[in-house]
């Protein structure tokens, strides 16, 4: 099989050989345009006593009686010989008696025409018009008998090309008749659908008043879509060489298939040129039928010099009838009987719109009571379907539900076309769809679904909002029994709405009452864990939720957060109050009065993991919306049972003042924290479970797990971990630390407080002048970590350290008792102490003692209650297991 490139090269070579390639371009520049008017041939066909004009005959059958009348006139300067030929296949030459010679200049032929009968076995009928010469009839007969296949193929192609030319002409003439420029695009697309054409969409980018002209001038951009093959690519205008090049790039040409116009300019030229003689050359003629007239169109001027031109005309093929396979554009659509006019859109057979083959058409209507009516109808390409005149249909007295079908004739044969469902405005009860009764939202254009048996008859929808101002709404069908109306509520206020529906055939509109609301948002799901008293509702616009009810439990809204485009609203059920003990009756035994009160039944505890249900969310405007609910497994929980802070060793030999931390919960950044936790849910530590430790602001976090060895099991229920904050968090971490368990699937438990991370300045000396009225000087590094310094624990005499303090000395109040009180910037709620040496030297100055200062007394300082921490000591804090706090 030849490749596409080789096939195209062969085609180009063939064109050149026929004089249709680039070398013959000037001679055949217009060979693709069938725009030269030829003679007219009048034809009638009689079958079974019924006579039809040729325009209504899609096919012939053996026994048909043909009346042929060439309209040439007796005063023609050239006498034309008309030869009618019946063909019976490409390999079976017709017998001599299948050739009929008609002298078109004969007065009897001019006055009465000529008759002939289609013989049995015939498949095609070809009419040849040739200038009279000596031996012309025998020459033509020998040409047909010698190459019957050429004329069979020419007949087939000419019939198809003539029909397609009718489609394009129908489109061009209809576009030219569109009066309103604003309707060109819609009507053009309807015409293109009816006639199975693809039009130049670039024309619709032009101003409205230029679109029709563009479409008429862009005939070369019209693509024929015959419906039977997606490879049809017909082009009307342009030189034959251009047609060849454009067709050669298509799938059609590559596969050996091409459309009728290319066939007429290409295939017929090749076939008919193959029987070219010195006396005659054969040129094709397309026909455009109007009633009995076959108007012939040529793509080349006929020649009256040798070789003289013989016009080849094809009559309809001899074959069984093939009625068009029409179908409704939308088989589910319902139409209104009161519509004026009624248009029933159809698709699938462009010949019903481009020809008169379908005739005597009626719309047969039948209601549920058995009453029938037949009304005249006709196909209209501009409206895209069968059209029934308004007065005729409106006067038909039928029920509300009607079945309608197209009936008539296709040529000589009875024809049954597509069927449709009709409704009347008598069924006019309107209602709002259940799902839309509380669905209208102001601040946007919103849709309202309305239901009625008469939905097909709606002409106009209007509405009045809370302001009382009437406004127009757009609408579209919504199945057989409804419409979707779009109400512009962008600037409206919530409130009552009255919808007015105007229907075809009714004077007064119908009204429906509903209401509009503020946007309710989207409520995706409510999720909670078994054992929790609350959960999280996700969605949008959750600020409008007043409560959520699940199995009789009312959850009330709490904190609302937003992550990206999703809202998260915490909802909490109230705590169950214990049932008070019953009052003891007179004479009741003392034991009875001391009996414990019966525990109240908690409905939240009945919400088991894995269950799915639907809750009702009540909005602040009174609407109730359903929300999907999922109860997940209980979240993990642990108890902090012990912790130990180990301070870093003092730097040597650098002397420092001793800073005593005022709380056992304070953890210096350069220290370490060892903590012990006990699993509560589940009862033992699960595989893949980890412990997350993070600052309260979430800027720093660390994870401890069994897999990495950072979490060490004492037993199945108890684990120990050591946190090195400087290593885990960096030098800028500070503030409250907390921990929580995290399961392998990402489920997280509640946060538990762990410690307060503080960064400590390095304090070197505290020097005071002899005059107690003057300030002392505190020397050290990272003094910006101090929030304030005072001489008393109540901070009545203090100095506040400015933000961003960068100096190494700070003036502070005069100290007389050897102790200074400081607050750290990382934990300003705790008062810490710094010991400085008391007494005077010979100069009367206070001197700062370098190194750690013991507390008053002879022995080492004992940590005060709360396990005070120093730079040189370690404090332990043990805690009993605490119950898991409520979320």
């Amino acid at each position: 099989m030849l490749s596409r490139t080789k096939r195209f090269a062969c085609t180009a070579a063939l064109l050149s050989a026929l004089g249709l390639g680039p070398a013959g371009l000037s001679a055949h520049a217009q060979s693709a345009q069938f725009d030269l008017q030829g003679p007219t041939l009048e034809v009638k066909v009689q079958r079974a006593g019924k006579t039809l004009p040729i325009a209504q005959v899609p096919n012939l059958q053996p026994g048909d009686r043909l009346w042929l009348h060439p309209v040439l006139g007796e005063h023609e300067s050239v006498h034309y010989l008309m030869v009618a030929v019946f063909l019976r296949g490409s390999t079976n030459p017709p017998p001599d008696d299948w050739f009929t010679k008609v002298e078109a200049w004969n007065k009897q032929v001019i006055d009465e025409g000529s008759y002939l009968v289609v013989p049995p076995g015939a498949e095609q009928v070809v009419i040849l018009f040739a200038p009279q010469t000596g031996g012309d009839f025998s020459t033509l007969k020998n040409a047909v008998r010698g190459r019957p296949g050429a004329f069979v193929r020419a007949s087939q192609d000419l019939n198809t090309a003539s029909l397609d030319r009718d489609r394009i002409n129908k489109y061009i003439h209809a576009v030219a008749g569109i009066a309103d420029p604003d309707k060109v695009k819609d009507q053009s697309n309807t015409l293109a659908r009816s006639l199975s054409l693809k039009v130049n969409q670039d024309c619709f980018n032009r101003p409205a008043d230029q679109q029709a002209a563009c479409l008429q001038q862009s005939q070369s951009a019209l693509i024929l879509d015959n419906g039977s093959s997606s490879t049809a690519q017909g082009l009307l205008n342009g030189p034959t060489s251009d047609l060849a090049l454009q067709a050669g790039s298509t799938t059609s040409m590559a596969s050996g298939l091409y459309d009728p116009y290319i066939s007429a300019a290409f295939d017929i030229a090749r076939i008919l040129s193959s029987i070219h003689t010195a006396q005659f050359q054969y040129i094709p003629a397309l026909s455009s039928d109007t009633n009995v007239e076959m108007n012939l169109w040529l793509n080349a001027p006929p020649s009256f010099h040798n070789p003289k031109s013989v016009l080849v005309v094809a009559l309809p093929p001899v074959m069984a009838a093939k009625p068009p396979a029409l179908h409704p554009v939308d088989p589910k659509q319902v139409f209104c009987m009161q519509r004026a006019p009624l248009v029933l859109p159809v698709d699938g057979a462009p010949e019903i719109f481009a020809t008169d083959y379908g005739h005597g058409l009626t719309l047969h209507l039948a209601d549920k009571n058995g009453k029938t009516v037949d009304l005249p109808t006709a196909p209209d390409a501009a409206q895209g379907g069968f059209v029934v005149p308004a007065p005729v249909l409106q006067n038909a007295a039928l029920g509300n539900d009607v079945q309608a079908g197209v009936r008539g004739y296709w040529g000589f044969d009875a024809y049954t076309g597509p069927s449709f469902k009709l409704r009347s405005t008598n069924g006019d009860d309107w209602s709002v769809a259940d799902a839309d009764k509380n669905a209208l939202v102001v601040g946007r254009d919103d849709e309202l679904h309305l239901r009625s048996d008469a939905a097909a008859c709606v002409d106009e929808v209007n509405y009045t909002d809370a302001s009382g101002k009437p406004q127009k709404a757009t609408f579209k069908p919504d199945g057989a029994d409804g419409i979707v109306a779009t109400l512009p509520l962008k600037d409206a206020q919530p409130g009552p709405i009255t919808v007015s529906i105007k229907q075809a055939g009714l004077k007064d509109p119908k009204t429906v009452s509903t209401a509009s609301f503020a946007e309710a948002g989207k409520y995706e799901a409510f999720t909670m864990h078994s054992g929790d008293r609350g959960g999280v509702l996700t969605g949008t616009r959750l600020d409008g939720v007043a409560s959520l009810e699940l199995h009789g439990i009312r959850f009330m809204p709490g904190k609302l957060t937003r992550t990206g485009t999703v809202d998260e609203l915490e909802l909490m059920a109230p705590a169950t109050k214990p049932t008070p003990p019953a009052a003891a009756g007179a004479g009741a035994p003392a034991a009875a009065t001391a009996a414990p009160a019966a525990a109240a039944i908690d409905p939240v505890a009945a919400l088991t993991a894995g269950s799915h249900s639907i809750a009702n969310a009540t909005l602040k405007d009174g609407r109730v919306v359903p929300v999907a609910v999922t109860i997940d497994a209980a979240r993990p929980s642990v108890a902090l049972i012990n912790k130990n802070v180990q301070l870093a060793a003092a730097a040597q030999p650098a002397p420092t003042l001793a800073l005593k931390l005022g709380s056992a919960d304070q953890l210096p950044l350069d220290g370490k924290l060892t903590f012990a936790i006990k699993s509560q849910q589940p009862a033992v530590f699960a595989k893949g479970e980890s412990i997350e430790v993070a600052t309260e602001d979430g800027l720093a976090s660390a994870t401890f797990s069994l897999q990495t060895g950072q979490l060490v099991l004492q037993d199945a229920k108890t684990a120990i971990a050591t946190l090195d904050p400087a290593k885990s968090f960096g030098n800028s971490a500070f503030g409250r630390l907390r921990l929580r368990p995290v399961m392998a699937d990402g489920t997280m438990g509640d946060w538990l407080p762990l410690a307060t991370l503080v960064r400590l300045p390095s304090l070197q000396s505290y020097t005071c002048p002899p005059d107690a009225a003057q300030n002392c000087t505190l020397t050290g590094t990272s003094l910006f970590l101090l929030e304030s310094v005072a001489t008393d624990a109540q901070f009545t005499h203090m100095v506040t350290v400015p933000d961003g303090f960068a100096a190494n000395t700070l003036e502070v109040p005069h100290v007389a008792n050897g102790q200074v009180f400081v607050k750290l910037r990382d934990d300003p709620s705790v008062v810490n102490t710094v010991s400085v040496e008391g007494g005077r030297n010979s100069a009367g100055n206070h001197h700062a003692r370098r190194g750690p200062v013991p507390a008053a007394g002879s022995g080492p300082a004992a940590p005060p209650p709360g396990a005070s921490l120093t730079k040189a000591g370690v404090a332990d804090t043990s805690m009993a297991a605490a119950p898991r706090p409520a979320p």
Side-chain angles (χ1 to χ4, degrees):
M1 185 174 182
L2 291 176
S3 67
R4 174 176 171 176
T5 303
K6 291 182 178 179
R7 286 199 302 270
F8 182 69
C10 293
T11 303
L14 178 61
L15 282 175
S16 179
L18 295 176
L20 296 175
L25 182 61
S26 59
H28 300 279
Q30 301 300 321
S31 61
Q33 298 185 38
F34 288 85
D35 56 356
L36 297 176
Q37 188 169 4
T40 299
L41 176 64
E42 295 180 340
V43 182
K44 295 180 183 179
V45 181
Q46 186 182 64
R47 183 184 304 170
K50 182 179 181 179
T51 301
L52 293 178
I54 190 62
Q56 295 181 358
V57 180
N59 66 293
L60 301 173
Q61 289 189 355
D64 285 353
R65 189 167 186 259
L66 307 180
W67 174 74
L68 305 179
H69 181 232
V71 184
L72 296 173
E74 58 181 332
H75 302 295
E76 292 284 340
S77 59
V78 176
H79 286 175
Y80 267 96
L81 177 70
M82 183 178 73
V83 178
V85 184
F86 296 101
L87 303 170
R88 59 183 179 184
S90 59
T91 60
N92 194 0
D96 287 344
D97 59 354
W98 282 20
F99 291 83
T100 301
K101 176 181 178 181
V102 179
E103 295 178 344
W105 63 90
N106 186 291
K107 187 176 187 306
Q108 182 178 358
V109 173
I110 294 174
D111 293 340
E112 301 177 7
S114 178
Y115 293 90
L116 61 156
V117 177
V118 179
E123 297 178 3
Q124 286 87 25
V125 185
V126 174
I127 307 297
L128 305 177
F129 285 95
Q132 181 192 21
T133 62
D136 44 21
F137 179 63
S138 60
T139 301
L140 295 175
K141 181 190 296 185
N142 290 336
V144 174
R145 287 180 55 81
R147 296 289 300 277
F151 290 92
V152 168
R153 180 61 182 272
S155 172
Q156 294 170 342
D157 288 349
L158 286 173
N159 270 314
T160 305
S162 294
L163 291 175
D164 288 335
R165 185 177 187 276
D166 287 341
R167 288 159 56 191
I168 290 181
N169 284 340
K170 191 86 171 183
Y171 173 85
I172 296 299
H173 295 155
V175 170
I178 300 175
D180 187 349
D182 294 331
K183 296 182 179 179
V184 169
K185 182 175 182 178
D186 289 341
Q187 294 190 16
S188 172
N189 287 333
T190 300
L191 283 164
R193 176 183 59 77
S194 302
L195 298 167
S196 294
L197 297 173
K198 296 180 181 178
V199 300
N200 183 6
Q201 295 295 321
D202 290 340
C203 288
F204 301 127
N205 296 328
R206 298 191 179 190
D209 58 351
Q210 299 178 19
Q211 293 176 5
C214 172
L215 291 169
Q216 296 173 66
Q217 295 168 4
S218 300
Q219 297 181 36
S220 61
L222 287 174
I223 304 298
L224 293 168
D225 183 2
N226 291 325
S228 60
S229 172
S230 60
T231 59
Q233 300 286 334
L235 302 171
L236 181 61
N237 280 342
T240 304
S241 60
D242 291 344
L243 288 171
L245 292 174
Q246 295 181 57
S249 65
T250 65
T251 306
S252 304
M253 180 64 80
S255 61
L257 302 173
Y258 38 89
D259 200 75
Y261 282 106
I262 298 176
S263 174
F266 238 4
D267 199 20
I268 298 176
R270 174 175 60 82
I271 292 171
L272 298 184
S273 293
S274 66
I275 53 177
H276 171 82
T277 65
Q279 186 176 4
F280 291 122
Q281 64 176 356
Y282 298 85
I283 62 175
L286 300 185
S287 65
S288 178
D289 302 340
T290 304
N291 199 16
V292 299
E293 295 180 346
M294 294 182 65
N295 301 300
L296 304 183
W297 296 90
L298 313 177
N299 70 333
S303 172
F304 299 99
H305 297 288
N306 287 335
K308 297 179 176 63
S309 297
V310 178
L311 308 186
V312 181
V313 183
L315 292 185
V318 183
M319 58 184 295
K322 292 184 177 180
L326 276 174
H327 56 81
V329 172
D330 182 1
K332 297 181 180 180
Q333 186 174 355
V334 177
F335 299 90
C336 178
M337 287 190 290
Q338 280 74 26
R339 187 73 62 204
L342 174 63
V343 179
L344 305 174
V346 292
D347 202 357
E351 57 265 39
I352 194 72
F353 298 103
T355 70
D356 294 330
Y357 294 159
H359 59 95
L361 300 175
T362 62
L363 188 67
H364 180 78
L365 298 95
D367 63 16
K368 292 183 177 180
N369 298 322
K371 184 176 181 180
T372 62
V373 175
D374 289 309
L375 304 177
T377 187
D380 187 332
Q383 298 191 64
F386 290 97
V387 179
V388 181
V392 174
L393 183 60
Q394 292 172 354
N395 293 333
L398 297 170
N400 293 340
D401 290 322
V402 173
Q403 290 293 331
V406 177
R407 297 182 180 182
Y409 291 91
W410 185 255
F412 287 96
D413 299 282
Y415 170 67
T416 300
S419 59
F420 308 89
K421 189 173 183 179
L422 307 184
R423 289 273 178 86
S424 170
T425 51
N426 294 333
D428 56 359
D429 291 333
W430 285 90
S431 63
V432 177
D434 291 341
D436 280 7
K437 289 183 178 178
N438 295 321
L440 281 181
V441 176
V442 298
R444 67 188 185 194
D445 293 349
D446 208 352
E447 293 183 344
L448 182 67
H449 293 73
L450 299 168
R451 293 285 174 261
S452 172
D453 290 342
C457 296
V458 177
D459 282 339
E460 187 177 301
V461 176
N462 297 286
Y463 74 97
T464 303
D465 59 15
S467 67
K469 179 181 177 181
Q471 299 187 61
K472 188 173 183 179
T474 59
F475 70 94
K476 61 183 178 181
D478 182 29
D481 302 315
I483 63 171
V484 181
T486 300
L487 280 58
L489 301 174
K490 187 172 295 184
D491 300 323
Q493 296 297 320
I497 285 182
T498 300
V499 181
S500 174
I501 305 164
K502 185 177 180 181
Q503 300 170 226
L506 294 182
K507 180 180 179 181
D508 298 324
K510 300 295 179 179
T511 60
V512 177
S513 296
T514 183
S516 63
F517 302 88
E519 185 175 5
K522 183 179 181 182
Y523 309 98
E524 296 177 352
F526 176 66
T527 305
M528 63 181 298
H529 291 270
S530 175
D532 287 358
R533 300 205 62 78
V536 175
L537 175 64
T538 57
T540 58
R541 298 294 298 272
L542 302 185
D543 54 333
V545 175
S547 65
L548 183 141
E549 186 169 336
L550 173 64
H551 301 321
I553 308 169
R554 186 172 296 275
F555 293 81
M556 302 306 293
K559 183 180 179 182
L560 175 65
T561 58
R562 187 172 184 85
T563 303
T565 59
V566 178
D567 289 347
E568 293 185 352
L569 177 63
E570 296 179 0
L571 291 162
M572 188 70 64
T576 303
K577 297 180 180 179
T579 304
T593 62
I601 299 176
D602 186 359
V604 176
L607 301 177
T608 58
S611 62
H612 299 270
S613 55
I614 300 295
N616 289 322
T618 301
L619 308 185
K620 294 177 181 178
D621 60 13
R623 284 175 289 176
V624 177
V625 294
V627 178
V629 177
T630 299
I631 309 298
D632 290 334
R635 295 185 298 122
S637 64
V638 296
L640 179 63
I641 60 174
N642 204 347
K643 66 180 179 180
N644 174 49
V645 176
Q646 181 179 358
L647 302 181
Q652 296 295 334
T656 60
L657 297 178
L659 190 155
K660 293 183 179 179
L661 298 177
S663 171
D665 282 335
Q666 288 181 317
L667 169 63
L669 181 64
D670 56 358
K672 291 184 179 180
L673 173 65
T674 300
F675 59 93
I677 54 176
K678 184 178 290 291
S679 181
Q680 294 185 330
Q681 174 61 40
V684 297
F685 281 97
K687 182 179 180 180
E689 184 177 356
S690 61
I691 300 298
E692 181 185 4
V693 177
T695 56
E696 196 170 49
D697 57 15
L699 296 179
S701 67
T703 300
F704 300 83
S705 65
L706 299 174
Q707 284 78 3
T708 61
Q710 298 166 305
L711 193 65
V712 179
L713 288 180
Q714 172 183 300
D715 53 41
K717 298 182 178 182
T718 308
I720 300 173
T722 299
L723 169 67
D724 185 339
K727 182 177 179 181
S728 298
F729 300 148
N731 294 329
S732 294
F734 61 90
R736 294 179 180 177
L737 297 180
R738 53 186 183 172
L739 67 84
R740 65 179 173 185
V742 181
M743 302 301 289
D745 62 0
T747 303
M748 302 173 182
D750 288 332
W751 286 108
L752 296 177
L754 179 60
T756 301
L757 184 62
V758 294
R759 295 164 296 173
L760 302 179
S762 177
L763 305 179
Q764 298 173 354
S765 64
Y766 193 93
T767 306
C768 295
D771 186 356
Q774 296 182 7
N775 288 334
C776 299
T777 299
L778 177 63
T779 303
T781 58
S782 301
L783 297 181
F784 63 86
L785 294 176
L786 296 173
E787 192 267 346
S788 58
V789 180
T791 58
D792 60 287
Q794 292 73 34
F795 278 68
T796 55
H797 303 285
M798 71 172 186
V799 172
T800 300
V801 180
D803 290 341
F805 187 75
N808 292 330
T809 60
L810 176 68
E811 289 191 3
V812 296
H814 199 101
V815 176
N817 60 1
Q819 192 172 42
V820 176
F821 300 90
V822 298
K823 291 182 179 180
L824 298 175
R825 190 173 295 274
D826 293 344
D827 189 13
S829 63
V830 176
V831 176
N832 310 281
T833 60
V834 178
S835 296
V836 296
E837 182 179 345
R840 294 179 182 271
N841 60 12
S842 58
N845 293 329
H846 291 282
H847 295 279
R849 182 183 185 278
R850 298 175 182 272
V853 178
S858 58
S868 298
L869 311 177
T870 70
K871 281 281 187 174
V874 174
D876 296 327
T877 302
S878 298
M879 295 164 288
R884 176 171 172 265

